[in-house]
Amino acid sequence: MRERLLALKEEALGELSRVENQQQLNDLRVKYLGKKGRLTEILRGMGALSAEERPIIGQAANEVRGAIEAVIEEKQTGFQKAETEARLAAETIDVTLPGRPAARGAVHPISKVIEEIEDIFIGMGYTVAEGPEVEQDYYNFEALNLPKNHPARDMQDSFYITDELLMRTHTSPVQVRTMEKMKGQVPVKIICPGKVYRRDDDDATHSHLFTQIEGLVIDRNIRMSDLKGTLLQFVQELFGKQTQIRMRPSFFPFTEPSAEVDVTCAMCGGSGCRVCKQTGWLEILGSGMVHPRVLEMAGYDPQEYSGFAFGLGVERVAMLKYDIEDIRHFYTNDLRFLKQFVHL
Ligand code: FA5
């Protein structure tokens, strides 16, 4: 029996030395040490042994079991270690690999110019106001001294939704809304950026949808010279110190007197070029002193208060600033065009 035990040990250790994986190891454990395994099978013959032999064989059997278990244990530890190492290797992160760049959007050039203009006016003490794009005829026209059938309504051919509702044709209705909200209080000092809509045919300098920034100041003793000084400071901050302005008499039903304002052409510095059609000047906005009737309708006594207002075309300013020859580039969303503004 002792020989059988030793032979079993040799056989088991021999087989164990060749195991390659956990599954084979488990199988051998069952084969040799399991309840119905080979060792148990041999030990079943113990009953036939004499009383002296039994403890000796018992001890030998324990030694064999211990030897086999020790090897199984050692193999087991080896497999677990190898498995952990393999898992760690598979999960390794190479921190030196370059990252995958996420596609980043950028601010649209029109939004950039709006922000820049807002910053300039905020620096002069203005606040930013907003109004609806779907506007009532009253605010878009009537309260601005353009009664129904007034011929100047044609200047801003409109998209009507109903008889009384339209897409606003300019940002000037926000003047009236702000004055109503202020209920006769001064000073009023706002700018209002926003989209406006007109039934203009699209061409290189006209779009049926474009952006305006309205400005409005109301207080006691506001004069035309305040308007001129404000606009001069504004264009010099936006286009550079060398920029000059020119005011040309004009007509808007909501301002009296009214003026269109040109700036010296940023392309040629005023000497005349293709962009300014050889005049040296470029028109960027309409302006004037708020009409007494508009003040009165909005609850301000024109005997006591006066004000100026202006409305500038943001696309026209952006075209000048970035030398863009066609307004439609802003709205066709060609990435080759838009990408040029990413780092500005
Ligand atoms: C107005 O809209 C007046 N509300 C401006 C104003 C406000 C005057 C306050 C007095 C007091 P006008 O229609 O001229 O004015 O438009 C103002 C500016 O918008 C123009 O100078 C021009 O820069 C721009 N603009 C006008 N029509 C278009 C268009 N179809 N596409 C792009 N820009 C335009």
Side-chain angles (χ1 to χ4, degrees), residues 3 18 27 40 129 211 213 239 256 266-267 281 301 338 342:
E3 285 73 42
R18 292 190 296 276
D27 291 348
T40 319
T211 319
I213 294 185
F239 294 114
E256 182 59 37
M267 298 307 140
W281 297 96
D301 179 358
L338 294 173
V342 168

Side-chain angles (χ1 to χ4, degrees), residues 144-184:
L144 288 164
N145 201 25
L146 279 117
K148 291 223 177 349
N149 305 320
H150 191 291
R153 285 196 181 209
D154 288 349
M155 286 160 58
Q156 302 183 354
D157 215 350
S158 324
F159 291 109
Y160 270 91
I161 295 166
T162 66
D163 279 354
E164 292 305 323
L165 272 185
L166 72 158
M167 302 307 291
R168 67 179 174 193
T169 57
H170 51 175
T171 42
S172 298
V174 186
Q175 289 185 24
V176 182
R177 287 180 173 276
T178 306
M179 286 190 272
E180 278 188 359
K181 232 184 265 163
M182 293 288 284
K183 297 190 192 323

Side-chain angles (χ1 to χ4, degrees), residues 156 170 172 175 198 200 205-207 210 212 214 252 254-255 260 283-288 309-313 316 327:
Q156 302 183 354
H170 51 175
S172 298
Q175 289 185 24
R198 290 188 193 177
D200 277 346
T205 53
H206 291 83
S207 174
F210 62 102
Q212 285 190 340
E214 190 80 8
F252 296 103
F254 33 93
T255 46
E260 270 174 331
E283 183 207 314
I284 57 160
L285 60 86
S287 66
F310 57 87
L312 85 108
R316 301 270 176 90
I327 196 170

